[in-house]
Structure formats: C-alpha cells, structure tokens
C-alpha cells in the first residue's frame, strides 16, 4: 500500500481508523510514508473521535518499537486537535495505570508489561505536547478521585475502578502536573 492511498475519510469508523493507523505504522517503520505527510495524516485522524480513538489504541498498544519515541511530525499532528488529544491522553494514562494493577492481581506479567508500555508511551507524548489543557484535565481527574465526585466521575464509574486503582491513577496523573 502506498502512502498516497492512506487518506482519512470524513466519517471514519473506529475500525477503519485502526486499520489506517496500522498501515501508517507499517509504512513509517519502512520509511515508505513521506515525512512531510505525517503531520497532516495524524491531524486528519484526530478530526473525529473515532479517528482519534483508533489512532491512539493502535499507536499506544502496538508491539512495534517505532511507537516508543514519537516523531516530531506526530506530535505536531496531535497539536492540531488539542482538545481531543488531551482528553484521550489523560484517559489513557488512567486506564493503563488501572490495568497494570488489574493484571498484577491476575498474575499476568505479560499484560502488566503491555499496560506499562502504554503508560510510558502516553507519558512521553504528554510531555512532548506540553499542553496546558492536559495539566487542567489531570487536575480535574485527581480532584474527582479525591472528592469522589467531579468531571471524571462517569469515566471512573464506567470502568469500575476500585479505590486502589483510583489511588494509583491519582499518583500517575499527579506526576504529569507541572
């Protein structure tokens, strides 16, 4: 598949975003994807919630080391849609942190390592983006955990995190607040 074929549909579905991101990563790994198109491709994916979710789930969980050090062009593409990027990155830190505990409890070191990789990659992206909005969302998440209510209540309830997981999330997210 050539880079010219990788175009993002206006109404992209979640599974389509995953497929496109997988193709993108394959081309990135083999230097088939033109550097001057990376930013635009990532920005196009982040225009919609489905595209952004598909990008992050694929990029952050990929076994490929090409995802361990985000390229400047990828960071620039994420900055094109800071609201969507910030929201999903904060939630990814929370989810990967909680999942590490879940997998530790199930004695699954392979999945613990996988969740730790997601957390580490997300943290690198957060630091490189350096968006004030991420700081604000991190504070909101920590405040929600400490108060037991707030803007992240629905998120925490939806995933059924217990107190130990919430405390771990608060610690992890607090480290991102400058």
């Amino acid at each position: 598949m050539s880079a010219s074929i990788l175009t993002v549909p206006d109404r992209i579905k979640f599974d389509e975003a995953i497929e496109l991101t997988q193709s993108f990563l394959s081309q990135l790994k083999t230097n088939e994807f033109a550097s001057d198109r990376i930013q635009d491709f990532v920005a196009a994916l982040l225009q919609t919630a489905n595209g952004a979710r598909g990008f992050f789930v694929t990029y952050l969980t990929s076994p490929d080391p090409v995802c361990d050090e985000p390229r400047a062009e990828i960071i620039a593409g994420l900055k094109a849609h800071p609201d969507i990027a910030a929201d999903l990155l904060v939630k990814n830190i929370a989810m990967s942190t909680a999942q590490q505990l879940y997998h530790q409890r199930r004695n699954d070191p392979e999945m613990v390592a996988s969740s730790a990789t997601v957390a580490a990659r997300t943290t690198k992206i957060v630091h490189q983006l350096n968006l004030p909005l991420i700081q604000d969302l991190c504070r909101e998440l920590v405040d929600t955990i400490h108060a037991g209510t707030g803007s992240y209540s629905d998120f925490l309830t939806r995933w059924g995190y217990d107190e130990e997981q919430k405390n771990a999330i608060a610690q992890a997210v607090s480290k991102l607040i400058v």
Side-chain angles (χ1 to χ4, degrees):
M1 184 180 286
S2 71
S4 62
I5 294 174
L6 292 184
T7 56
V8 180
D10 290 336
R11 295 177 183 251
I12 192 167
K13 296 177 184 166
F14 179 62
D15 58 332
E16 292 173 323
I18 289 172
E19 267 185 52
L20 271 176
T21 304
Q22 288 171 338
S23 295
F24 166 70
L25 293 176
S26 292
Q27 291 182 13
L28 201 60
K29 183 178 177 178
T30 59
N31 294 317
E32 292 176 51
F33 204 94
S35 291
D36 61 344
R37 293 199 57 242
I38 294 171
Q39 178 179 341
D40 292 340
F41 177 79
V42 173
L45 274 174
L46 263 74
Q47 286 182 14
T48 65
N50 281 337
R53 286 177 45 245
F55 172 78
F56 281 121
V57 76
T58 306
Y59 187 88
L60 296 173
T61 63
S62 172
D64 201 314
V66 73
C67 299
D68 290 337
E69 296 298 331
R71 293 173 58 150
E73 300 93 339
I74 290 173
I75 298 300
L78 297 176
K79 282 185 176 182
H81 300 284
D83 293 348
I84 291 175
D87 178 58
L88 290 175
L89 288 165
V90 171
K91 288 176 179 174
N92 269 292
I93 287 288
M95 293 167 68
S96 59
T97 299
Q99 285 301 104
Q100 286 178 68
L101 276 174
Y102 174 80
H103 295 306
Q104 283 173 354
R105 294 172 185 165
R106 296 180 61 103
N107 197 27
D108 189 342
E110 191 173 304
M111 290 305 295
V112 170
S114 178
S115 293
T117 297
V118 171
R121 286 177 177 171
T122 306
T123 299
K124 281 183 184 179
I125 292 170
V126 164
H127 287 304
Q128 289 182 25
L129 282 173
N130 194 28
L131 296 172
L133 179 57
I134 292 175
Q135 303 289 310
D136 295 341
L137 295 177
C138 286
R139 283 185 198 89
E140 287 179 30
L141 179 53
V142 171
D143 290 348
T144 299
I145 290 169
H146 290 148
T149 186
S151 60
Y152 278 93
S153 293
D154 289 345
F155 169 76
L156 295 168
T157 301
R158 181 179 336 117
W159 293 106
Y161 297 134
D162 61 32
E163 289 307 309
E164 185 181 15
Q165 288 172 312
K166 289 178 191 175
N167 288 333
I169 291 168
Q171 287 178 355
V173 171
S174 292
K175 292 177 185 174
L176 299 177
I177 301 171
V178 180

